[in-house]
Amino acid sequence: MFLRNYWYVAASDSEIGRKPFGRLILGEPIVFFRTEDGTPVAFEDRCAHRHLPLSMGRLVGDRLQCHYHGLQYDRTGQCVRIPGQDQIPSTAKVKTYPVVERYRWVWIWMGDPALADPAKITDFHWLDDPSWGAKSSYLHVKSNWQLVVDNLLDLTHLAFVHETTIGNAALAEHAVVKVTRAPNNVVVTRWIIDQPAPPTFVKVGGFTTNVDRWQIIDFVPPAFLRLDVGATPTGTGAPQGKRVGGITMRNLNAITPETEKTSHYFWGQAHDFDVKNAELTQKIFEQIQTAFYEDVAVFSAQQRNLDLIPNPPQIDINADTGVIQARRILDRLYDEEQAALHATAAE
Amino acid sequence: MPEPDRWHRVAALTDLREGEVFATRLGELELALVRIDGTVHAFDDVCTHEYASLSQGFLEGGEIECPLHGARFDVVTGRCLAPPAERDLRVFPVRIEGGDVYVGVTAPG
């Protein structure tokens, strides 16, 4: 199940340059490159002539030249040169995709190009906002994208999968969890009031008293999860919306389906304290990265079982509330998109 | 509803906020309390379909939706309004005295 009329993260900004770069997104092979003025461009990664991936070719100025017979395409995807032939057939062109560079990522629109409004790009400003320290990265995941969404909407797994890294028993034992929903949004809020701060928080936040801690998971379809985590000294008003004397971090996740069974996982970590301290940014990043490797191992193991037994029965537990609400939204959006496609096709 | 055998104090009235579900226990019983237009209602917090805490679900108007499978119940009468649940929810009489909330429980059968 893929949702098409959405912006997805296609690559980090540094992955795309003057060397053609191929990536499979929603089952479609796509080639990315930058023109001489730095503008990112995306084509279908298949020559209109004999289907060789254009990512095996090279750039000649702003033209992408196929590695096989040297056909050249301009930035609009139109073939403008066929070696040894003056006439160029009008059908000699490749599909192009709308792309936008934002938040240190290159975004791609996978649906109807007429609907590609950059204002619809999900906000990840923490990744390039000077008032935050941030670092982002990429993981290849051998599982369906929805397993990653599920994982981030139910953080009770921290106590088990991440027992030795970022897990903390207080999260499971003392937390008050609330799930709120809107037509295209699920928010899972977890508060831990008046408990000792975990060691990592004490180290960076310098807490000398008990703290009020929060974990707020914000889900936006199809697969964006922005986590707001932090702590302030107990009684200073964070649960009422006033955050003073504490620390806040953002764990930012954008999952892009590669195939039905593999995914691109773009993520970053941002912090609002000591924001110019690159060494600290790196240290926080590495801590989370270690935990994410633990998750990636879980995803591929789940997918292996799902490959052996497709659509097996499963049970639901109280902690699944956010996961289930998000899946319900995704199912509805998929049905709506398919209905619209069929209506258009019938016209 | 028959006159209950016993009344139990389950919350202070100030624990209950309009439009929010307050979950508590009474022995083995998992109990949910809501306050709607000032009136307190009490019902079994466990969905009649499969185990799920309705207090973690969604209270919309006078209806609560199960967080897991979407069953809906009228929180005043306990009537089941949407599948997959088929049975009504058990509801309990409520009495407010001196700022405390009491729930009446009748032994089943």
Side-chain angles (χ1 to χ4, degrees):
Chain A
M1 179 178 102
F2 297 144
L3 289 164
R4 295 205 169 264
N5 283 322
Y6 293 88
W7 290 100
Y8 287 94
V9 178
S12 67
D13 58 359
S14 60
E15 284 180 301
I16 298 176
R18 292 290 292 163
K19 190 179 177 313
F21 173 78
R23 179 161 275 166
L24 194 59
I25 296 176
L26 272 60
E28 297 180 20
I30 298 168
V31 57
F32 299 88
F33 62 92
R34 287 183 194 273
T35 58
E36 284 178 322
D37 67 4
T39 309
V41 175
F43 291 170
E44 180 179 3
D45 193 9
R46 179 176 65 84
C47 183
H49 172 226
R50 287 296 181 268
H51 319 299
L52 193 74
L54 292 168
S55 54
M56 292 173 70
R58 66 185 178 90
L59 287 166
V60 179
D62 277 352
R63 296 175 177 181
L64 181 54
Q65 176 175 290
C66 182
H67 174 64
Y68 205 173
H69 304 102
L71 277 72
Q72 289 183 358
Y73 298 88
D74 72 11
R75 63 160 76 188
T76 69
Q78 181 64 50
C79 179
V80 289
R81 179 174 143 79
I82 300 176
Q85 178 177 323
D86 292 337
Q87 284 297 316
I88 295 171
S90 61
T91 50
K93 58 184 175 196
V94 290
K95 179 181 173 183
T96 61
Y97 295 81
V99 285
V100 170
E101 194 164 1
R102 198 172 286 180
Y103 314 128
R104 309 286 319 271
W105 284 335
V106 175
W107 299 69
I108 188 166
W109 179 266
M110 295 302 295
D112 178 356
L115 304 175
D117 176 3
K120 292 183 196 161
I121 290 176
T122 303
D123 179 20
F124 279 93
H125 75 270
W126 303 274
L127 293 175
D128 67 352
D129 181 334
S131 55
W132 292 76
K135 182 175 163 70
S136 56
S137 189
Y138 167 85
L139 290 165
H140 186 258
V141 175
K142 292 184 179 63
S143 86
N144 179 274
W145 60 282
Q146 289 195 274
L147 295 181
V148 186
V149 176
D150 291 351
N151 170 279
L152 289 158
L153 274 162
D154 174 12
L155 296 183
T156 60
H157 80 272
L158 263 62
F160 305 97
V161 177
H162 309 305
E163 195 178 2
T164 61
T165 51
I166 57 171
N168 183 299
L171 284 176
E173 303 301 332
H174 301 286
V176 180
V177 184
K178 188 166 175 57
V179 179
T180 53
R181 60 182 186 180
N184 289 328
N185 180 224
V186 175
V187 178
V188 181
T189 306
R190 185 180 261 104
W191 280 98
I192 306 104
I193 303 293
D194 198 6
Q195 291 289 323
T200 49
F201 276 35
V202 173
K203 209 181 285 175
V204 294
F207 298 109
T208 53
T209 62
N210 273 5
V211 295
D212 295 340
R213 258 173 99 186
W214 63 87
Q215 272 183 341
I216 302 170
I217 308 164
D218 180 295
F219 163 78
V220 178
F224 301 112
L225 293 122
R226 299 170 297 182
L227 278 58
D228 169 5
V229 300
T232 54
T234 294
T236 54
Q240 291 76 41
K242 199 177 90 197
R243 296 179 180 179
V244 285
I247 57 166
T248 300
M249 287 192 277
R250 299 276 173 166
N251 176 252
L252 303 157
N253 305 273
I255 302 112
T256 303
E258 180 181 46
T259 67
E260 288 284 1
K261 293 181 179 182
T262 55
S263 308
H264 304 294
Y265 186 178
F266 298 92
W267 70 278
Q269 187 78 11
H271 56 94
D272 76 342
F273 43 92
D274 207 359
V275 301
K276 299 285 179 243
N277 184 344
E279 205 179 308
L280 176 71
T281 303
Q282 179 65 23
K283 219 157 125 191
I284 293 170
F285 171 85
E286 281 172 8
Q287 196 176 35
I288 305 296
Q289 188 178 46
T290 306
F292 276 26
Y293 290 148
E294 295 170 330
D295 287 315
V296 166
V298 167
F299 303 145
S300 49
Q302 283 178 290
Q303 185 66 50
R304 279 197 297 276
N305 263 345
L306 291 170
D307 289 345
L308 292 169
I309 314 156
N311 300 312
Q314 64 183 15
I315 59 145
D316 300 316
I317 61 173
N318 272 337
D320 290 319
T321 303
V323 171
I324 287 174
Q325 299 307 317
R327 283 203 173 234
R328 206 175 287 172
I329 288 172
L330 292 169
D331 287 343
R332 174 178 54 79
L333 293 173
Y334 178 74
D335 289 346
E336 286 173 4
E337 204 172 276
Q338 293 302 308
L341 274 175
H342 292 136
T344 314
E347 271 170 19
Chain B
M1 222 180 279
E3 185 60 20
D5 303 339
R6 280 198 63 181
W7 291 90
H8 304 266
R9 185 195 174 280
V10 290
L13 193 54
T14 51
D15 290 335
L16 308 184
R17 275 198 294 234
E18 188 73 27
E20 286 187 20
V21 191
F22 180 86
T24 186
R25 291 190 81 104
L26 191 56
E28 291 290 295
L29 183 67
E30 294 180 41
L31 193 68
L33 303 170
V34 294
R35 192 170 175 175
I36 297 172
D37 300 328
T39 307
V40 178
H41 304 277
F43 53 93
D44 194 327
D45 192 23
V46 179
C47 185
T48 62
H49 167 235
E50 279 177 7
Y51 184 85
S53 302
L54 294 171
S55 54
Q56 293 189 27
F58 304 94
L59 181 68
E60 288 161 352
E63 296 178 13
I64 195 148
E65 182 181 313
C66 175
L68 299 190
H69 306 113
R72 294 180 80 91
F73 301 93
D74 183 316
V75 297
V76 179
T77 65
R79 204 156 72 83
C80 175
L81 304 170
E86 293 173 348
R87 281 179 295 122
D88 292 348
L89 205 57
R90 201 169 157 206
V91 293
F92 303 93
V94 173
R95 192 189 273 172
I96 312 292
E97 275 177 24
D100 288 320
V101 180
Y102 292 82
V103 164
V105 178
T106 305

